[in-house]
Amino acid sequence: MARVDVFYSLQSAYCYVLLDRLLELASRGVDVVIRPLLGGVLRRPERYMDRDQLEADYFARDAQRVADFLGLAYADPDPSPIDFEPGSLWRAKPYQPRNIYLNRLYVGACDAGRGLAFLDRVGRMLWDGSTPGWDKGDHLARAMSAIDLDHDAVLSSMPADRAQTELDANAAAIEAAGHWGVPLMIYKEEPFYGQDRFDHLIWRMKQKGDLSDVDA
C-alpha cells in the first residue's frame, strides 16, 4: 500500500481546504498518515514577528476564495484554537490552555489510528462555521464519539507532556523532510508543500505506479 504522510495543523485554513482531497485519496487505498503539528506561530514564532496587515488581508481573501472554489463551507474558528496577544496579528500568548486541550485530543486520536477521521469531524467543525463555541459544552465529546473514541479516555491516555513530546517530534520531522509549513505531504521522501501541490502529488504517485485513473 502506498503511503503519504501529511503534516497538518488544526490552526491552518490551508490544511482544512485540503481535507476532502485527503479523504478521497484514502478512499483510493492510500495510507494517509496524519502527523499533528502546532500552528506555526507556536512552532516558529520568529517567522511571524514582522508580518503586516497587507499579508494578513490577502491570506484571509485567498483562503476564502479557495474554499469557495472547492465548494467548502468556511469560517474562521470561533474561538481560534490559539490565543493571540491583544493588538497583534500573529503573536501568541505564552500560555495556551485551549490549544493544549485540543491537541491532546488530536494527538490521542492519531495514536489510536483515527487521525484522518478526527480531522473529518473535529477539524471540519472548527472551520466550517457550524459550531461557534466549539470548545464549550459537549461539542468535542460528541464529535469524538462519532469516530468511536471516548473523549475522556483519550484525554486520560494523552497527558499534556506526552502530547507535547509528539508535537515536538513532528516539528523536527517536518523540517527534516524539507519544509516547515503546512500542509506538507511526504511521498517516498519527496515533500509537497501547500494544498496547491496536491495535484503534483497525484501526478507523482501515478508516475511511480501507486495510483491510476481507475483506483477510486
Side-chain angles (χ1 to χ4, degrees):
M1 178 186 292
R3 170 171 169 156
V4 174
D5 285 40
V6 183
F7 292 91
Y8 190 116
S9 166
L10 293 171
Q11 185 68 30
S12 168
Y14 288 125
C15 284
Y16 166 63
V17 299
L18 180 63
L19 176 57
D20 282 347
R21 284 171 283 173
L22 296 178
L23 290 164
E24 192 272 338
L25 186 61
S27 78
R28 298 174 71 177
V30 175
D31 185 16
V32 177
V33 178
I34 301 299
R35 306 283 296 272
L37 280 176
L38 293 173
V41 296
L42 299 175
R43 288 183 290 115
R44 299 293 299 271
E46 70 282 358
R47 287 186 173 270
Y48 294 84
M49 293 300 181
D50 297 320
R51 301 291 178 92
D52 61 19
Q53 190 64 50
L54 184 65
E55 182 179 5
D57 290 345
Y58 181 83
F59 173 86
R61 170 180 285 184
D62 188 58
Q64 181 69 66
R65 175 172 55 210
V66 174
D68 290 346
F69 177 76
L70 295 171
L72 287 172
Y74 177 85
D76 287 338
D78 180 16
S80 167
I82 294 177
D83 284 321
F84 292 93
E85 293 286 2
S88 74
L89 281 177
W90 289 321
R91 298 194 183 199
K93 291 182 177 179
Y95 183 48
Q96 296 286 331
R98 184 168 55 250
N99 193 68
I100 291 169
Y101 165 46
L102 181 60
N103 278 287
R104 286 173 65 193
L105 295 176
Y106 183 20
V107 175
C110 289
D111 273 16
R114 304 292 286 157
L116 197 53
F118 179 90
L119 295 177
D120 192 22
R121 289 287 182 167
V122 176
R124 191 182 303 277
M125 180 175 71
L126 296 181
W127 283 98
D128 69 3
S130 67
T131 317
W134 56 265
D135 58 326
K136 303 294 193 301
D138 65 351
H139 296 305
L140 288 170
R142 291 172 61 189
M144 299 287 284
S145 178
I147 59 170
D148 299 320
L149 290 176
D150 181 87
H151 169 276
D152 294 344
V154 171
L155 280 182
S156 295
S157 70
M158 188 56 62
D161 57 347
R162 181 182 168 195
Q164 189 62 53
T165 295
E166 295 203 29
L167 291 164
D168 289 344
N170 284 338
I174 191 175
E175 296 194 19
H179 209 282
W180 66 274
V182 295
L184 188 75
M185 299 158 282
I186 307 295
Y187 168 66
K188 294 188 183 296
E189 300 185 352
E190 182 176 2
F192 297 81
Y193 167 59
Q195 62 84 27
D196 52 347
R197 290 295 177 266
F198 183 79
D199 288 346
H200 297 80
L201 167 67
I202 297 300
W203 164 76
R204 182 67 87 202
M205 295 184 75
K206 289 180 178 179
Q207 186 184 59
K208 297 289 186 181
D210 281 330
L211 274 183
S212 74
D213 290 329
V214 294
D215 284 323

